[in-house]
Amino acid sequence: MRILVLGGGWFLGRAVIEGALGRGWDVTAFNRGRSGSVPEGVETVRGDRTSDADLKRLAEAGSWDVVVDTSSGELAPRYVLAAVEALRPVVGRWVHVSTVSVYRGWPHQPLTEDSALLEAPADADESFGYTGVDGSPTKYGFQKAGAEQAVRRSFGGDAVILRPGVILGPGEYVGRLPWWLRRAERGGAILAAAPSARPVQPVDVRDVAAFALDQAAGTGGGAFNVAHPAPISIAEFLTHCLAVTGGVGHLVWADPAVLEDHGVRQWTEMPLWRTASGVWSVDASRAVAAGLSCRPLATTISDTWEWLKADGRPVEHPRAAEHGIAADKEAAILAALAH
């Protein structure tokens, strides 16, 4: 099996490459070489996927059985369309990593793959779309919906679309789980958003990569929600963070209205917290039937902590600075709750 990975220097892309090498596949990575590094044994083609000349040069280095595209996150659909059109003559199959944000009802409604999608053209530029006043839909979601259209236009039934929600695990650059782990390590009173029984269903990066590779080796196409099929409560999640770090702390549960009164930003200042009812109601049964297997979230948490303890340094990304509440703001809210 010859596989081309678009990206591959960090997190999901690197996990895909490591998994493909573990299967004995021939791997080519296409990236700019500015973030992270690819493992040994990988043929690397340097280039910018927004450059027609670089895409032409990449196509000349082919052919491949399959592309796994992990690097289109912030790209306008027109650039995804340019890549699929340039590579279609030298690629048999395309596995595209999208997002649950493409659904019209996310995060307010439970989701299946049959849920309505946002509408965006395959050749949309960076200006297409908008973000709603309540944070949904998002311009990002429109852009990713257009990217899906671009892939389908060229690959049709040979296109596989993966729609993960939150991806965690060793190498995470967004900083959700690393922030919670470092906060648990500090201990003391730890502010958390009630209700404690609220379920969460993030998925491990290694499990997403394995499923992507299974689909790469398969036949047929289609879309799959990629989320953990066995959610755990946020209380269990944070308790695991305390246990693996050895943090001497305790969770203080605050009503969402109290957090909102203090201006705590959902999803970022309080990672993994969002009051919308559908945010953790993503049906992944179709993916499970197709072979998705997810390790326990407790394992993801402990493995991420081991990576951090071993001086794990994620690739720097501006989104990491958005995550986690400042210590003085947390202390002020805790003090208010105590009175």
Side-chain angles (χ1 to χ4, degrees):
M1 174 76 76
R2 285 178 50 80
I3 180 174
L4 170 63
V5 179
L6 302 184
W10 58 354
F11 203 39
L12 179 57
R14 187 177 179 90
V16 168
I17 286 177
E18 290 174 346
L21 291 174
R23 299 181 187 211
W25 296 0
D26 292 329
V27 183
T28 301
F30 177 69
N31 56 51
R32 295 175 299 177
R34 297 178 185 175
S35 302
S37 60
V38 299
E40 292 184 7
V42 175
E43 179 184 356
T44 302
V45 178
R46 297 293 185 209
D48 188 331
R49 60 183 296 172
T50 65
S51 164
D52 290 340
D54 286 355
L55 289 174
K56 181 175 183 295
R57 182 167 50 83
L58 173 62
E60 291 170 349
S63 61
W64 298 274
D65 298 300
V66 63
V67 166
V68 177
D69 185 0
T70 68
S71 68
S72 68
E74 305 299 329
L75 288 177
R78 64 189 180 105
Y79 292 122
V80 177
L81 181 63
V84 296
E85 289 181 341
L87 295 172
R88 188 63 180 102
V90 293
V91 170
R93 188 168 172 77
W94 193 286
V95 178
H96 185 77
V97 180
S98 185
T99 170
V100 293
S101 295
V102 298
Y103 288 110
R104 194 182 303 168
W106 192 86
H108 301 290
Q109 301 169 6
L111 298 175
T112 72
E113 290 84 354
D114 297 323
S115 299
L117 301 175
L118 297 172
E119 296 183 3
D123 59 353
D125 64 16
E126 298 86 341
S127 67
F128 189 88
Y130 64 92
T131 296
V133 293
D134 67 344
S136 65
T138 62
K139 185 174 182 179
Y140 172 73
F142 281 104
Q143 293 274 311
K144 294 292 280 186
E148 288 190 10
Q149 293 295 336
V151 174
R152 289 196 191 90
R153 176 187 290 189
S154 289
F155 280 84
D158 293 318
V160 177
I161 307 295
L162 306 185
R163 296 177 183 142
V166 172
I167 304 176
L168 303 178
E172 184 202 335
Y173 62 89
V174 174
R176 296 182 177 102
L177 179 51
W179 186 85
W180 275 119
L181 286 165
R182 292 300 188 191
R183 179 63 192 89
E185 181 187 27
R186 293 204 315 270
I190 301 172
L191 185 66
S196 61
R198 172 173 51 91
V200 295
Q201 58 177 157
V203 64
D204 192 291
V205 62
R206 295 161 293 184
D207 298 331
V208 179
F211 184 64
L213 292 171
D214 289 345
Q215 292 302 306
T219 59
F224 298 93
N225 293 335
V226 185
H228 207 295
I232 63 174
S233 70
I234 189 62
E236 292 175 279
F237 186 95
L238 297 180
T239 298
H240 282 308
C241 290
L242 282 165
V244 301
T245 61
V248 181
H250 62 282
L251 300 168
V252 178
W253 299 97
D255 188 274
V258 172
L259 297 177
E260 291 172 354
D261 286 345
H262 284 85
V264 177
R265 295 190 304 276
Q266 296 185 34
W267 209 236
T268 52
E269 276 192 299
M270 189 65 64
L272 305 181
W273 169 55
R274 195 162 182 175
T275 56
S277 60
V279 66
W280 298 114
S281 297
V282 179
D283 182 1
S285 58
R286 183 181 294 180
V288 171
L292 174 66
S293 178
C294 292
R295 68 200 71 201
L297 283 166
T299 302
T300 301
I301 292 168
S302 61
D303 288 352
T304 303
W305 179 241
E306 292 301 317
W307 167 71
L308 287 172
K309 284 199 303 180
D311 200 28
R313 297 180 183 274
V315 174
E316 292 187 6
H317 194 281
R319 289 177 65 188
E322 301 174 355
H323 288 85
I325 189 169
D328 56 348
K329 184 172 183 178
E330 180 187 25
I333 298 171
L334 289 168
L337 289 170
H339 287 87

